[in-house]
Amino acid sequence: MPDFIQPWLFLLPIIIKVVVVFAVVMGLVAYASLAERKVSAFIQDRVGPNRVGLPLTLLGFKKDLAIGGLFQPLADGLKFLLKEDLTPGHVKPFYYWLAPALTVVPALLTIAAVPFGSTLFGYKMVVADINVGFLFVFAIASVGVYGIVMAGWSSNSKYSFLGGVRSSAQMISYELSMGLSLVPLLLVMGELNLGKIVEYQAWHGWTLLPFTDLRIQWSPHWEISGLNWREILLWIPMLISFVIFTTAVFAETNRAPFDLPESETELVGGYHTEYSSMKFACFFMGEYAAMITGCALITTLFLGGWHLPIPIIHDGAFSLQTRTGDHGTLWGILNILTFLGKVIFLVIFFMFVRWTLPRFRYDQLMRLGWVWFFEIALANIVLVAVLLAFFPK
Amino acid sequence: MVNVQVDGRWIQVPKGTRAIEACKQNGSFVPHYCYHPKLSAPGNCRMCLIEFGSPKMGPDRKPIYGPDGYPEISWIPRPQICCSTDVAEGAAYRTQSPLVDECRRGVMEFLLINHPLDCTICDQAGECRLQEFSIDYGNAGSRFIEEKVKKPKRVELGPRVTLDDERCIMCSRCIRFSKEIAHDDVLGFTERGSHTTLSCFPGKKLENNYSLNTVDICPVGALTSTDFRFKMRVWFLKETKSICTSCGTGCNTEIGSREGKVYRQTPRDNEAVNQCWMCDYGRLNFHFLHDERRMTSALVRDAEGTPQPQPLAKAIAAAANLLRQFKPSEIAVIASARQTNEELFLTAKLIRLLGAPLFDIVGRHQHADGILVSDDGNPNTRGAQLMKVSAEHPGSFVPIIVGKVNDGAIKALVCLSEDAVEFGAKPAALAKLGALVTVNLQSNATTAAAHVALPGAGFAEKRGSMINVKGRLQRLNRAVQPPAGAADDWEILRDLLAALGGGNGLYSIEDVFKRMAAEVPAFAGLSLSKIGDLGVPLEGKI
Amino acid sequence: MAITVPRPDLSAAEKTYLPALWEGLKVTARHFKNNLFGKGKVTMEYPEERWDSHLPEYYRGVPALVTDEHGKDRCVSCQLCEFICPPRAITITPGEIPPGDTFAKTEKRPQEFKIDMIRCIYCGMCEEVCPEQAIFLQKDYLVVGTRREDMVHDKQKLYEIGGLKTGLVNKWDEKK
């Protein structure tokens, strides 16, 4: 190996991680759109996309292979790429072109700080292991609103403008309660590094399910560990935090029931009314990427991230134990899959909510954000602080 | 004037009026088939049966007057036909009564006994009296169970008229028209009873120049125009009031067109011009509008001398550039009395602008037939004279112009709506001209030689006015749009004027007429809309 | 008159909307589950599955011209369908039957008969108005084409679709 490469070798695993994470997220985005259509179809007693498969006839076969529409996202992507890229005459071109990028990039950036696995071959399974990852995520996620505001403003059309204004108002409202709802977590864990937050959950039980480090011993003597009064009492504020945070993520990602910025019935397409082809696709991808990032965050903060409690009966005791990549490569891979599974579960939950709930009215949205969530999140912080005073670590 | 009572109302009508006309004047329409106001009344269809009454007479043989000062009426118990009865003082008519209704029902049933009921293919459907009155007085079903009488169908009575004898109701309007109006007694009935058949006398044909009027007056679909037969159902036709431009009479017409195509021309009532008749020649003289010789784009000769299609504006500019190169004495203009007044007005302006000393219209003298066809083959000779586009004797300068063209004295010729070759210009001489500009709707020998050939519009495609031989100012209306590429002649002339001498502020045909009314004393106070459908007499003013 | 609809009194639990949310999720989840396992399928997947056998007697498919048992083309080009057609999909060029023809009695038949199937709204007015029992709405509904011209049915195509129809009134037989 030539010497000049040696100093740069540390980049290799990082580049691999970046490429893999990017590919997986983009794949998830693509298939989330298919899943959304399928889930909505099933909920509404429809069929959903079921035609696009491998176009084998192009290669000389007699029949195309339609695997339940599994290649729909490819067709969609191809269509978006090939469509005429129209820039209407009345827009402000620079910002008009910038807006889609500003929507996609932050949504993809946030995922960098999220640990998607324990370790593999000794490498931490996170793209950027920053010790203020928590703050990084919030900082970047809030940039996403600029894309939408810019799109709404530069499109120079009333629908886009209203969509953009709604979106910014909505995001600012919910960002507050979103941030405040997580302060209790930080109080409990005393960590800003998302990786350490997950590790904390691995050893002390998930934020949402504190008994994931349960250990019941019956021989030689009875003993239950991993669940104590402190954890049980703290469970209540954690649940409150979870509800507020999850709801806020819905609002942040402009998903139903908070999809007012693009409510079709009133605003045609909302902030992306004037967009077409790949630029529209960027908004579309940004939205789904934001949803996946949001789900990854919820997983990381509340559902133990990559952690999978392994039930083991050994030496007269039942215990839920943690296995990381340090225990073997397979365990490392299992952790990554666990993380993915949790995220996918949440994404499907998001879809269920979208196809179940009607859209909020704008005043309801504002009331919920400012009157309820903001206050409750504040009270929650006090509650946790008091609890921690009585039950110190 | 005599006093008559119609449906309970007393009105005054001139003596000698037919009872049916008196009823009409009162607003009581009496259905009829055989009666025609311009023909004698044989009273053979029996559709116009109404109740008659006469003044009640006292013992002194004097009418008994009621409290309103009018005589009391004693009604005749039997109905009578009102078409062949003249009004009499104190007569009374009832056009609406159970008896009259019953009569009409009976007559309708008899008329329909042998009717083939082939309205689906009948050209008269939609304007058929039999259909109309059948709706009012007909039965839904037929009580006739016997065999219908079969008669000849698709009989060619003449070159332009096709007869379906089964549809004929023996009203004899066509026979009377041929005899009384066209003075060509060729039609008659043969056979008897329900076998009565209309036919031409042996060895004769219905081929006079007015034969198609029999089709108009035929109340049913028996006589049909061979030209219009099976071409289009009449309810699709847009009817545009216009005038015939085939001779100086200027018969008032209705142009039936659909989706940019003219299907037929029918005469329109105008007592002062053509009553309700029209000659066959004029009536059928519209097919050239849809001819393949129609010019659909301006043609300009390129450097090699090949005509190339050009946008109209470019062609007009090219024409102006060409004409500018010649001295006024080298330019001649052949205009046409087939142009409208507006076009002639602009032509006159063009002649003055070019300073051309030689100009004239083409004269068309023909034989008048004493009925409608005039001895002037041009529809607007008097307009041309009024606009001072013609020589003192219309057409007298044309041979001079043509001669000068042929010997090369004239170097630039403007030929509007005429074919100079037709009047003796040699194509070789035309080809030698420095500038030949034509405005024509069809290509001909002159347009073939033209440096700039501009496509014009036909009579059914333009608006404007013309003055007939009797000095009546009448209006043309647009029935169809000119084909794509062609333009209104007046617009071409206006643009040519503008190209030669600058803007002239004329944007619509109304503008042209307004300018004309200001400059021509005879048109003072008139506008295109004031001419109206029936025209305005200018006699005495021109 | 305006009617005031009283708002329902909600309990404290209901006011959080959570029970309603839960109920809603239950409903959507039930449908999701059923469809996931192939139950509750109502969609007919068109090109593979057809509803031809379910077509009702009064089904209004493409309009077409019919030929009767004598092989006579029924249409006489009276143009009533052209007149009545609400979207003006029908264009007829009338024409004369030459005297030597088998059906010269009828005298008139369309030279060209065009129905623009892009315009056609399948209302059936043409069938209703036809005095000659010549145009009928068929059970066919598959009209496809890759160009606009393909979507215009001409006379030949219309008679092809219409085919033979028996039991019609043959009024022209009685004509001379």
Side-chain angles (χ1 to χ4, degrees):
Chain A
M1 192 174 289
D3 282 346
F4 65 92
I5 289 179
Q6 208 68 34
W8 299 102
L9 216 56
F10 76 98
L11 274 178
L12 192 68
I14 296 176
I15 289 170
I16 291 175
K17 274 193 283 188
V18 167
V19 169
V20 169
V21 167
F22 182 74
V24 168
V25 171
M26 289 315 279
L28 272 180
V29 165
Y31 277 88
S33 72
L34 175 67
E36 176 109 70
R37 291 163 76 177
K38 274 286 188 193
V39 165
S40 67
F42 284 162
I43 284 173
Q44 296 169 350
D45 290 348
R46 291 185 286 111
V47 178
N50 65 343
R51 296 279 153 182
V52 184
L54 283 176
L56 293 180
T57 40
L58 290 182
L59 304 171
F61 288 87
K62 279 209 168 146
K63 221 171 165 233
D64 284 341
L65 189 64
I67 328 158
L70 213 57
F71 287 84
Q72 183 72 37
L74 291 182
D76 286 347
L78 200 65
K79 186 191 87 168
F80 278 129
L81 275 173
L82 294 180
K83 281 203 132 185
E84 185 190 357
D85 197 1
L86 194 86
T87 307
H90 53 76
V91 301
K92 304 197 165 47
F94 178 73
Y95 300 104
Y96 181 81
W97 278 78
L98 189 63
L102 263 186
T103 318
V104 184
V105 172
L108 293 173
L109 263 186
T110 30
I111 210 83
V114 176
F116 55 88
S118 51
T119 51
L120 204 59
F121 311 119
Y123 293 104
K124 275 193 178 173
M125 284 296 104
V126 55
V127 174
D129 187 24
I130 8 179
N131 51 9
V132 287
F134 190 90
L135 296 180
F136 170 81
V137 166
F138 273 79
I140 298 296
S142 54
V143 172
V145 72
Y146 286 104
I148 290 172
V149 171
M150 217 172 257
W153 172 71
S154 68
S155 288
N156 205 2
S157 111
K158 55 186 169 190
Y159 299 120
S160 304
F161 181 69
L162 282 173
V165 169
R166 279 187 183 187
S167 183
S168 45
Q170 180 176 324
M171 284 205 160
I172 292 163
S173 311
Y174 278 83
E175 215 145 73
L176 265 177
S177 41
M178 192 178 183
L180 286 177
S181 73
L182 291 182
V183 173
L185 254 78
L186 304 181
L187 287 177
V188 172
M189 297 172 183
E191 269 301 340
L192 282 175
N193 184 317
L194 288 174
K196 297 234 170 90
I197 287 177
V198 175
E199 264 168 49
Y200 179 91
Q201 291 182 69
W203 301 117
H204 297 92
W206 300 1
T207 318
L208 204 59
L209 302 168
F211 46 78
T212 46
D213 58 342
L214 196 67
R215 179 185 158 87
I216 306 167
Q217 190 175 353
W218 58 86
S219 120
H221 55 270
W222 272 90
E223 190 192 323
I224 296 178
S225 66
L227 204 64
N228 50 38
W229 279 110
R230 181 177 181 267
E231 280 185 355
I232 291 172
L233 281 177
L234 277 174
W235 199 3
I236 298 163
M238 289 305 130
L239 265 177
I240 295 172
S241 279
F242 173 72
V243 170
I244 295 179
F245 184 75
T246 311
T247 318
V249 167
F250 274 107
E252 280 283 303
T253 52
N254 293 329
R255 294 275 307 178
F258 300 101
D259 55 347
L260 286 109
E262 49 177 310
S263 47
E264 304 87 352
T265 39
E266 316 151 26
L267 296 182
V268 189
Y271 54 85
H272 56 58
T273 303
E274 305 290 336
Y275 282 88
S276 62
S277 125
M278 207 54 210
K279 291 207 284 295
F280 167 75
C282 279
F283 281 114
F284 196 77
M285 287 192 307
E287 199 178 300
Y288 276 89
M291 177 172 73
I292 288 163
T293 317
C295 289
L297 265 184
I298 297 174
T299 310
T300 309
L301 295 172
F302 291 96
L303 297 177
W306 45 262
H307 176 239
L308 182 70
I310 312 289
I312 286 174
I313 299 171
H314 182 66
D315 281 350
F318 167 85
S319 60
L320 295 170
Q321 294 191 9
T322 304
R323 292 283 182 276
T324 66
D326 301 337
H327 297 86
T329 309
L330 275 180
W331 289 114
I333 292 172
L334 185 68
N335 282 328
I336 295 174
L337 291 179
T338 308
F339 180 79
L340 268 180
K342 286 177 185 174
V343 169
I344 289 169
F345 171 80
L346 276 175
V347 166
I348 290 180
F349 170 72
F350 266 53
M351 287 171 185
F352 262 78
V353 170
R354 172 168 177 187
W355 297 104
T356 303
L357 294 188
R359 185 179 299 135
F360 274 82
R361 223 165 50 210
Y362 205 72
D363 65 314
Q364 291 171 330
L365 175 96
M366 283 293 151
R367 184 183 299 270
L368 190 71
W370 289 103
V371 177
W372 295 106
F373 282 2
F374 182 59
E375 268 77 357
I376 291 174
L378 271 181
N380 203 23
I381 296 173
V382 178
L383 179 65
V384 172
V386 171
L387 280 175
L388 284 179
F390 285 96
F391 298 96
K393 225 181 231 180
Chain B
M1 298 295 259
V2 292
N3 291 305
V4 290
Q5 190 207 50
V6 181
D7 288 340
R9 231 181 96 205
W10 286 93
I11 57 168
Q12 284 200 320
V13 292
K15 205 168 177 201
T17 310
R18 284 170 183 166
I20 195 169
E21 291 294 327
C23 294
K24 199 171 161 189
Q25 280 176 33
N26 187 46
S28 313
F29 177 73
V30 180
H32 56 272
Y33 293 109
C34 70
Y35 171 73
H36 190 281
K38 301 287 173 205
L39 302 174
S40 60
N44 54 8
C45 76
R46 318 312 286 177
M47 193 61 189
C48 64
L49 286 167
I50 56 166
E51 284 191 76
F52 276 60
S54 52
K56 212 177 254 178
M57 294 296 179
D60 54 352
R61 304 307 299 156
K62 294 261 170 64
I64 302 170
Y65 286 91
D68 55 356
Y70 288 111
E72 285 181 21
I73 305 295
S74 75
W75 292 96
I76 302 170
R78 302 251 170 245
Q80 296 184 32
I81 53 170
C82 59
C83 71
S84 62
T85 318
D86 285 356
V87 290
E89 178 62 36
Y93 313 114
R94 265 207 299 241
T95 65
Q96 301 289 333
S97 75
L99 175 70
V100 170
D101 267 12
E102 201 47 47
C103 289
R104 290 173 185 169
R105 278 179 203 291
V107 171
M108 275 310 295
E109 193 167 8
F110 275 123
L111 285 176
L112 289 173
I113 274 183
N114 282 314
H115 192 79
L117 297 177
D118 53 357
C119 300
T120 50
I121 63 160
C122 179
D123 279 321
Q124 191 79 2
E127 50 185 16
C128 174
R129 292 299 179 88
L130 214 48
Q131 277 185 334
E132 285 164 19
F133 301 148
S134 177
I135 285 164
D136 296 337
Y137 304 107
N139 291 331
S142 174
R143 290 190 283 167
F144 189 70
I145 49 170
E146 288 82 5
E147 276 279 294
K148 288 193 176 190
V149 175
K150 307 281 195 242
K151 288 187 193 171
K153 294 176 86 77
R154 219 180 329 203
V155 182
E156 286 181 13
L157 277 188
R160 292 176 292 276
V161 180
T162 306
L163 167 71
D164 188 315
D165 254 319
E166 282 188 347
R167 296 181 192 147
C168 179
I169 58 165
M170 271 68 75
C171 72
S172 78
R173 272 183 179 188
C174 48
I175 300 175
R176 282 174 282 143
F177 171 82
S178 302
K179 197 166 165 182
E180 296 163 16
I181 307 288
H183 310 302
D184 180 29
D185 193 6
V186 291
L187 290 174
F189 287 132
T190 59
E191 311 287 334
R192 294 188 55 185
S194 60
H195 294 275
T196 309
T197 308
L198 175 73
S199 54
C200 280
F201 296 153
K204 296 226 172 157
K205 271 188 168 179
L206 181 63
E207 54 190 355
N208 63 60
N209 195 24
Y210 293 88
S211 63
L212 280 172
N213 288 300
T214 59
V215 175
D216 293 336
I217 57 173
C218 181
V220 296
L223 293 167
T224 52
S225 160
T226 311
D227 177 65
F228 178 64
R229 189 171 150 91
F230 298 159
K231 290 288 189 304
M232 188 48 63
R233 307 318 300 273
V234 293
W235 53 78
F236 286 119
L237 298 180
K238 182 180 82 177
E239 288 173 339
T240 311
K241 289 172 177 165
S242 190
I243 56 168
C244 173
T245 57
S246 296
C247 80
T249 308
C251 293
N252 288 218
T253 62
E254 223 158 47
I255 300 171
S257 62
R258 183 184 183 210
E259 291 173 8
K261 189 169 188 276
V262 177
Y263 283 93
R264 69 168 181 186
Q265 258 191 119
T266 47
R268 178 162 59 89
D269 289 7
N270 190 343
E271 285 303 314
V273 182
N274 58 324
Q275 297 191 324
C276 55
W277 317 117
M278 187 177 183
C279 77
D280 290 1
Y281 173 75
R283 186 194 294 254
L284 298 179
N285 192 15
F286 64 86
H287 291 288
F288 66 88
L289 291 174
H290 309 300
D291 205 298
E292 70 274 6
R293 284 182 300 157
R294 221 25 227 278
M295 291 189 63
T296 49
S297 76
L299 296 173
V300 180
R301 281 187 187 280
D302 59 12
E304 280 89 53
T306 327
Q308 298 287 354
Q310 287 281 350
L312 201 58
K314 271 192 179 174
I316 287 170
N321 282 337
L322 271 175
L323 291 174
R324 253 191 226 118
Q325 297 166 6
F326 297 95
K327 281 182 280 181
S329 59
E330 294 171 338
I331 305 177
V333 177
I334 296 180
S336 172
R338 287 174 174 173
Q339 292 173 293
T340 62
N341 289 331
E342 290 76 5
E343 289 156 19
L344 286 164
F345 176 70
L346 294 174
T347 306
K349 289 239 177 291
L350 182 69
I351 292 168
R352 311 287 175 265
L353 192 65
L354 291 171
L358 271 178
F359 57 86
D360 197 3
I361 56 165
V362 173
R364 287 189 174 77
H365 294 283
Q366 59 184 35
H367 183 66
D369 68 352
I371 303 174
L372 283 176
V373 177
S374 158
D375 58 358
D376 184 0
N378 280 324
N380 199 19
T381 309
R382 302 203 61 170
Q385 285 169 327
L386 188 64
M387 297 302 153
K388 301 194 172 57
V389 175
S390 98
E392 195 165 337
H393 297 290
S396 55
F397 281 6
V398 171
I400 302 171
I401 296 171
V402 167
K404 288 198 171 187
V405 166
N406 285 345
D407 62 25
I410 293 286
K411 296 211 171 64
L413 180 66
V414 179
C415 193
L416 304 171
S417 303
E418 296 289 0
D419 182 3
V421 177
E422 215 178 290
F423 312 107
K426 292 184 186 124
L430 288 177
K432 271 189 206 144
L433 283 172
L436 175 56
V437 177
T438 64
V439 180
N440 226 322
L441 73 159
Q442 278 185 326
S443 53
N444 54 34
T446 310
T447 60
H451 293 91
V452 179
L454 300 163
F459 72 96
E461 294 159 357
K462 58 188 177 191
R463 298 176 63 208
S465 62
M466 289 188 176
I467 304 171
N468 76 355
V469 284
K470 287 182 183 164
R472 193 177 188 84
L473 181 64
Q474 303 194 100
R475 201 170 58 177
L476 287 164
N477 278 315
R478 170 177 277 168
V480 293
Q481 293 289 333
D488 259 350
D489 294 36
W490 77 265
E491 284 178 327
I492 294 176
L493 288 166
R494 172 202 59 185
D495 293 348
L496 190 57
L497 275 171
L500 281 166
N504 45 29
L506 300 172
Y507 300 103
S508 66
I509 191 81
E510 279 83 5
D511 288 347
V512 183
F513 198 94
K514 206 187 275 176
R515 186 76 59 89
M516 196 162 67
E519 295 184 17
V520 179
F523 290 164
L526 280 173
S527 73
L528 209 51
S529 58
K530 273 186 193 157
I531 295 173
D533 292 333
L534 295 179
V536 178
L538 294 182
E539 207 55 72
K541 291 187 196 166
I542 53 175
Chain C
M1 203 192 100
I3 298 171
T4 310
V5 180
R7 286 184 180 276
D9 284 329
L10 301 179
S11 68
E14 282 170 337
K15 272 181 187 159
T16 63
Y17 295 112
L18 289 173
L21 204 162
W22 177 246
E23 285 303 315
L25 277 173
K26 257 162 68 182
V27 172
T28 46
R30 189 175 70 238
H31 280 265
F32 181 76
K33 186 194 78 199
N34 284 345
N35 284 289
L36 198 61
F37 296 114
K39 283 184 283 178
K41 183 193 151 203
V42 289
T43 313
M44 190 179 266
E45 291 190 35
Y46 166 59
E48 292 87 13
E49 301 171 348
R50 303 260 173 120
W51 57 322
D52 296 22
S53 55
H54 308 283
L55 290 180
E57 202 37 54
Y58 47 80
Y59 181 77
R60 303 199 307 255
V62 299
L65 298 172
V66 298
T67 315
D68 64 17
E69 57 264 47
H70 307 301
K72 175 179 172 352
D73 40 350
R74 303 276 308 181
C75 179
V76 301
S77 67
C78 73
Q79 296 183 289
L80 280 178
C81 49
E82 183 176 357
F83 184 69
I84 200 90
C85 183
R88 298 182 70 175
I90 302 177
T91 315
I92 301 170
T93 315
E96 190 167 1
I97 303 180
D101 198 278
T102 327
F103 305 110
K105 260 184 204 176
T106 318
E107 293 188 74
K108 202 179 170 192
R109 70 155 66 109
Q111 237 175 58
E112 190 45 89
F113 196 119
K114 281 185 177 155
I115 304 184
D116 189 343
M117 293 315 295
I118 304 174
R119 284 188 157 221
C120 179
I121 56 169
Y122 304 89
C123 62
M125 292 240 195
C126 47
E127 175 178 335
E128 203 170 320
V129 81
C130 184
E132 296 287 336
Q133 294 180 299
I135 192 165
F136 288 92
L137 264 60
Q138 310 289 323
K139 294 253 170 83
D140 309 39
Y141 50 84
L142 256 175
V143 186
V144 287
T146 49
R147 294 170 308 152
R148 272 170 188 272
E149 302 87 84
D150 293 349
M151 298 300 283
V152 179
H153 286 174
D154 60 4
K155 185 177 151 189
Q156 192 201 343
K157 172 102 179 163
L158 288 169
Y159 273 117
E160 225 165 76
I161 301 172
L164 184 100
K165 197 164 175 92
T166 52
L168 304 174
V169 178
N170 291 318
K171 68 178 189 185
W172 295 100
D173 290 358
E174 295 159 23
K175 295 279 183 295
K176 188 180 170 181

